[in-house]
Amino acid sequence: MVQYLIRLDDLCQTSNLNKWERFFNLFDRYGIKPVIAAIPDNKDPKLTRCGSFNHNYWQLLRDLQKNEYAIAMHGFEHSYLNSNSGILKQNRRSEFAGLPLYLQERKIIEAVEIFDRENIKSDIFVAPAHSFDRNTLRALKKHSNISIISDGLLTSPYKRFGFKWIPVQLSEATHKPDNTWTFNYHPETCSEKNFIKLKAFIYKHHKDFVSPTQLTYRPYSFWDNCYETYRIYARLLRGLF
């Protein structure tokens, strides 16, 4: 049996809502409940130039939450502070990985305070650039209600370091025969061609989409560690050639 999830990244107060609403309309048409990675206090200059300031940003998140979309905490400011690639070694930039624990705690505390103030209930964390470390997890465990990490490279959800993990493996919709797959889209940069491909995929496979609440999680094993380590270093080696 195959299961698909979809995650949209970088929703913030200056998002181009026209680009986002086409995704929302598509999902609502087929009853798909995505993960929305929402930034508590965006300071990323690239994202501030995407659209006009949305004074109704928090109401939008509350409305999406009411529609059973899973709102994920997408870091704090989405501001990259170093070139640390973190646990997954996926990108050489990070808002969290490599920082002292007390600084990471401060970020998580402020992000949680903003979400609480705006009545946004989130149990999912999405690290900007997929980059976080064990201190990030310690800060989340101590100062938040986050129980799910939306990241990882396996082919099924698992439990590790006291969290549930939903792997994020693909940047666009691709048919798979079995296992659990997350498609990770960025509405601000998604081309019309790729959006049309997603529409066609959802038309054909919408019954195979699930929400995070429908998943089951298994323990992370020694062999999972071997497989994930292989995936990480195989990707790093490919980048050298």
Side-chain angles (χ1 to χ4, degrees):
M1 182 182 74
V2 67
Q3 297 180 118
Y4 299 123
L5 296 95
I6 191 160
R7 193 183 93 191
L8 303 185
D9 281 11
D10 299 344
L11 185 58
C12 66
Q13 289 176 305
T14 50
S15 292
N16 184 331
L17 292 185
N18 289 331
K19 293 183 177 182
W20 284 81
E21 285 172 354
R22 59 178 180 169
F23 282 89
F24 299 156
N25 293 335
L26 175 62
F27 300 154
D28 291 346
R29 188 181 311 154
Y30 292 99
I32 292 172
K33 305 301 181 183
V35 175
I36 304 296
I39 304 170
D41 187 22
N42 178 57
K43 295 292 192 298
D44 186 334
K46 290 184 179 179
L47 296 177
T48 61
R49 296 193 292 267
C50 291
S52 302
F53 187 86
N54 178 14
H55 294 279
N56 295 316
Y57 173 65
W58 295 108
Q59 186 59 50
L60 169 63
L61 290 188
R62 288 189 287 269
D63 290 343
L64 295 176
Q65 185 174 258
K66 188 176 181 180
N67 194 28
E68 298 181 3
Y69 285 25
I71 307 300
M73 182 181 293
H74 194 21
F76 172 41
E77 297 177 329
H78 207 277
S79 178
Y80 299 120
L81 303 176
N82 59 40
S83 59
N84 195 309
S85 57
I87 291 173
L88 298 176
K89 305 185 187 307
Q90 191 160 336
N91 294 295
R92 293 188 61 81
R93 60 186 186 277
S94 184
E95 180 180 10
F96 290 90
L99 295 184
L101 176 59
Y102 79 94
L103 289 180
Q104 297 204 43
E105 287 182 325
R106 186 181 303 167
K107 287 176 174 290
I108 297 302
I109 289 170
E110 292 190 42
V112 168
E113 286 177 349
I114 292 171
F115 268 28
D116 285 349
R117 183 189 70 213
E118 300 297 341
N119 196 28
I120 303 301
K121 310 300 181 184
S122 179
D123 62 355
I124 303 175
F125 182 75
V126 174
H130 304 271
S131 184
F132 57 99
D133 60 16
R134 291 292 298 275
N135 278 341
T136 317
L137 301 179
R138 292 185 182 101
L140 288 168
K141 180 66 70 176
K142 184 176 180 181
H143 298 290
S144 78
N145 292 321
I146 298 294
S147 61
I148 299 172
I149 304 298
S150 175
D151 230 320
L153 301 171
L154 301 185
T155 57
S156 63
Y158 56 92
K159 297 178 181 179
R160 190 186 190 197
F161 300 139
F163 291 89
K164 299 173 182 177
W165 296 61
I166 304 175
V168 180
Q169 312 98 331
L170 300 167
S171 59
E172 61 181 60
T174 304
H175 176 62
K176 298 290 183 179
D178 52 25
N179 296 315
T180 301
W181 304 89
T182 300
F183 308 139
N184 184 199
Y185 282 83
H186 294 73
E188 301 293 348
T189 56
C190 179
S191 68
E192 185 65 21
K193 178 181 177 180
N194 283 344
F195 183 72
I196 290 172
K197 287 173 61 178
L198 175 62
K199 286 175 64 176
F201 184 91
I202 288 178
Y203 174 78
K204 188 174 182 180
H205 300 286
H206 61 273
K207 292 183 179 179
D208 295 320
F209 279 80
V210 297
S211 70
T213 58
Q214 295 173 283
L215 297 174
T216 57
Y217 300 82
R218 59 177 179 76
Y220 186 85
S221 70
F222 169 78
W223 297 111
D224 290 330
N225 182 260
C226 292
Y227 175 75
E228 199 159 43
T229 300
Y230 164 77
R231 290 284 308 276
I232 289 170
Y233 285 96
R235 183 182 60 222
L236 291 175
L237 286 173
R238 285 196 301 270
L240 296 177
F241 298 99

